[in-house]
Amino acid sequence: MWAQWAQQILLAAIGVSAGAAAAGGLFAFIVELGVVADFADRTHTADKILLYESSVALGGIIGNLIYIFQIGLSAGAAQSDIGKGMLGIFGIFAGIFVGCWSMALAEILNVFPVFMRRVRIVRYVAAFTISVAIGKGLGAGLFFFKGW
């Protein structure tokens, strides 16, 4: 009996350690990309950077808890106005998160400057950026409103 308890405690410790290492690596990657510092710099709110970093960490913790414990809205709650509102808020924040990640990675890899020079469309950067934003918005709208 004690051996079984010791085995379960050891497995739990290994799981928590592995999860902490993976989460630490992800947050180190976010810091290395400079996403949080860049947002604080662009919004002129560098005095609140600790709040931003804590929010990123808390978001990761809550996201992991939701994933591990499979917390979700039931079909009835999703049909209510409150459930739809919560899904909408979650969708907005998830979209912002994914957009920030992709833009940070593209900025780090210098994808856009190299692409602009190669295709020789430096003059049309504003039109290109607006086209990408409109296409992304229309695609997301079609996906979510048509249910594809």
Side-chain angles (χ1 to χ4, degrees):
M1 175 154 169
W2 288 106
Q4 201 173 26
W5 275 92
Q7 182 183 12
Q8 293 298 318
I9 290 171
L10 178 65
L11 288 174
I14 291 171
V16 168
S17 299
L26 173 66
F27 293 129
F29 187 57
I30 289 173
V31 170
E32 180 64 30
L33 285 177
V35 175
V36 177
D38 193 31
F39 286 151
D41 183 44
R42 290 184 187 193
T43 58
H44 307 292
T45 56
D47 57 329
K48 301 207 179 354
I49 196 160
L50 290 176
L51 173 68
Y52 298 152
E53 290 173 348
S54 298
S55 297
V56 168
L58 185 63
I61 291 167
I62 291 172
N64 281 326
L65 290 175
I66 288 172
Y67 178 75
I68 289 171
F69 294 111
Q70 298 180 357
I71 299 169
L73 294 174
S74 66
Q79 298 300 323
S80 71
D81 290 336
I82 294 172
K84 288 179 182 177
M86 292 301 290
L87 287 174
I89 290 169
F90 175 78
I92 288 170
F93 284 124
I96 290 170
F97 179 77
V98 170
C100 291
W101 264 102
S102 61
M103 291 309 294
L105 285 171
E107 187 175 318
I108 292 298
L109 298 174
N110 292 327
V111 170
F112 292 116
V114 171
F115 179 73
M116 297 292 176
R117 278 194 305 268
R118 300 245 174 170
V119 183
R120 294 187 176 97
I121 56 172
V122 176
R123 287 183 215 174
Y124 308 107
V125 172
F128 178 74
T129 305
I130 290 171
S131 299
V132 168
I134 290 172
K136 178 75 174 160
L138 288 174
L142 284 173
F143 179 81
F144 287 110
F145 293 122
K146 289 287 189 176
W148 293 340

